[in-house]
């Protein structure tokens, strides 16, 4: 059973940075796609960034130029570097991974950006 564990969330002032990590229980190289979603209170979960097995990335328009998704295969870890954070980035961030049409999710990590 695949397990994904996020870390790195916290409270930060607007303009600050955070780096989220998502540690997988097995090799992340086997995943077809990995990424991050977020959910703000009272809002639907939205896609933040994705990274395919071949290294292609995709970002939500709201985070382009500020967030960077990456992975370290040796550490079986996915990252999300978040710079120039805004209050509207506040929410619970979830890591996900897809392998042969089956998706896996982490438990989420809270990010709060104060103005």
């Amino acid at each position: 059973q695949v397990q994904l564990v996020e870390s790195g969330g916290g409270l930060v002032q607007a303009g600050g940075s955070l780096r989220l990590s998502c540690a997988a229980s097995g090799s992340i190289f086997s995943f077809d796609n990995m990424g991050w979603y977020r959910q703000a209170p009272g809002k639907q979960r939205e896609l933040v960034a994705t990274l395919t097995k071949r290294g292609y990335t995709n970002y939500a328009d709201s985070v382009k130029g500020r967030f960077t998704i990456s992975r370290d295969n040796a550490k079986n870890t996915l990252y999300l570097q978040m710079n120039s954070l805004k209050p509207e980035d506040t929410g619970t961030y979830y890591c996900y991974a897809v392998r042969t049409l089956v998706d896996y999710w982490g438990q989420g990590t809270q990010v709060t950006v104060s103005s």
Side-chain angles (χ1 to χ4, degrees):
Q1 180 69 18
V2 174
Q3 289 188 328
L4 302 174
V5 180
E6 301 100 332
S7 61
L11 174 64
V12 64
Q13 288 187 334
S17 298
L18 284 174
R19 188 177 78 156
L20 305 184
S21 299
C22 173
S25 57
S27 173
I28 64 171
F29 188 74
S30 66
F31 293 122
D32 303 308
N33 193 326
M34 298 186 74
W36 296 89
Y37 275 76
R38 68 185 179 190
Q39 187 166 20
K43 294 187 177 180
Q44 289 188 328
R45 191 174 294 191
E46 64 172 345
L47 181 65
V48 176
T50 61
L51 176 62
T52 71
K53 188 174 184 177
R54 293 188 177 186
Y56 295 110
T57 59
N58 188 44
Y59 297 92
D61 288 341
S62 58
V63 307
K64 282 181 181 177
R66 300 188 297 121
F67 291 11
T68 303
I69 188 171
S70 63
R71 66 176 179 233
D72 185 331
N73 291 336
K75 295 183 178 180
N76 295 321
T77 301
L78 180 75
Y79 301 101
L80 185 68
Q81 177 67 43
M82 305 186 295
N83 299 328
S84 302
L85 283 161
K86 304 176 181 180
E88 50 264 44
D89 294 319
T90 294
T92 302
Y93 283 69
Y94 298 91
C95 169
Y96 82 94
V98 179
R99 184 170 63 200
T100 56
L101 301 181
V102 177
D103 57 329
Y104 304 91
W105 292 87
Q107 82 289 349
T109 185
Q110 178 66 35
V111 172
T112 303
V113 184
S114 63
S115 57

